[in-house]
Amino acid sequence: NSSESHNCAKSILTSDRLQIVVTLSEFFNKTWEAANCANCLKNNSEELSNSTVEFLDLFNKSLTCFEHNLQGQTIYLSPNNYTEVCKNCNETYKILNDLYNNLQRMNRQGGESGHSAHLCIDVEDAMNITRKLWSRTFNCSVPCSDTVPVIAVSSFILFLPVVFYLSSFLHSKQKKRILILPKRIQSNASLVNIQEKYS
């Protein structure tokens, strides 16, 4: 009976004491939402978004570059011996990192998936793995472009007190001190002279 179908489904799903079907359904739905899986898809469809496909393709190229430059070398090399990986894979890593930053920016504004939240867990995990390999395992570092302006501003701020005290010293008038004897001493001396004359 179609009018009783909802009650029938409910009684079948909750027939056991554990309600295993309902529990599993809630678990998978919560996992899907917590992992932001919908953000990897085009408007909640089953197809991956173009940006996700592009990112995963670049991620695979980065890992391939890492492996290709490590061929014939042991994984326990000292950090100084990973210069080939850092030099040859720098461009690929930079493009991947820039794409990830752009995806984050786009996702905050709604993005392809229509959700304004975090990126899906596949993209975030892939970027975390790549950054960990790049910085910790291979010890590659990209020089910060903000270093020169920071040093210039810091030096300027530290130099300001010196300029202030130097200019205040040069512009202040240094007056010579003139000692003026008090009049009382002169009057006492004249009084002594007068007494000497009369004595």
Side-chain angles (χ1 to χ4, degrees), residues 97-192:
N97 195 46
D98 289 344
L99 178 62
Y100 179 77
N101 291 336
N102 288 336
L103 288 175
Q104 276 189 318
R105 205 174 303 114
M106 274 176 33
N107 220 48
R108 288 190 201 110
Q109 299 165 356
E112 281 182 80
S113 64
H115 297 274
S116 58
H118 294 284
L119 293 169
C120 69
I121 198 71
D122 294 336
V123 172
E124 287 188 348
D125 279 351
M127 196 65 219
N128 286 342
I129 288 166
T130 312
R131 284 176 173 170
K132 198 176 286 186
L133 284 170
W134 184 257
S135 60
R136 290 185 188 173
T137 306
F138 304 134
N139 201 23
C140 301
S141 60
V142 179
C144 184
S145 60
D146 294 339
T147 307
V148 174
V150 167
I151 291 173
V153 170
S154 301
S155 302
F156 176 73
I157 290 172
L158 289 173
F159 194 65
L160 276 177
V162 175
V163 171
F164 173 75
Y165 285 113
L166 188 64
S167 63
S168 68
F169 175 77
L170 292 175
H171 292 296
S172 65
K173 293 181 180 178
Q174 298 292 326
K175 293 184 178 179
K176 292 180 180 178
R177 294 183 182 176
I178 300 170
L179 293 176
I180 301 172
L181 294 172
K183 291 183 178 180
R184 269 188 271 158
I185 293 175
Q186 291 174 352
S187 63
N188 287 341
S190 60
L191 186 64
V192 169

Side-chain angles (χ1 to χ4, degrees), residues 76-91:
Y76 301 106
L77 291 172
S78 65
N80 296 333
N81 292 335
Y82 291 125
T83 52
E84 288 297 314
V85 176
C86 298
K87 186 173 70 177
N88 297 335
C89 301
N90 184 31
E91 191 62 31

Side-chain angles (χ1 to χ4, degrees), residues 37-101:
C37 293
N39 291 344
C40 277
L41 307 175
K42 285 182 180 176
N43 296 323
N44 291 332
S45 69
E46 294 179 6
E47 187 180 348
L48 286 174
S49 65
N50 296 334
S51 56
T52 305
V53 171
E54 184 185 358
F55 177 85
L56 293 176
D57 182 48
L58 272 170
F59 170 67
N60 289 331
K61 282 181 182 174
S62 297
L63 291 185
T64 305
C65 183
F66 295 162
E67 289 173 16
H68 177 71
N69 285 282
L70 284 173
Q71 283 180 350
Q73 300 177 4
T74 58
I75 199 69
Y76 301 106
L77 291 172
S78 65
N80 296 333
N81 292 335
Y82 291 125
T83 52
E84 288 297 314
V85 176
C86 298
K87 186 173 70 177
N88 297 335
C89 301
N90 184 31
E91 191 62 31
T92 312
Y93 175 78
K94 189 174 181 296
I95 293 169
L96 180 72
N97 195 46
D98 289 344
L99 178 62
Y100 179 77
N101 291 336

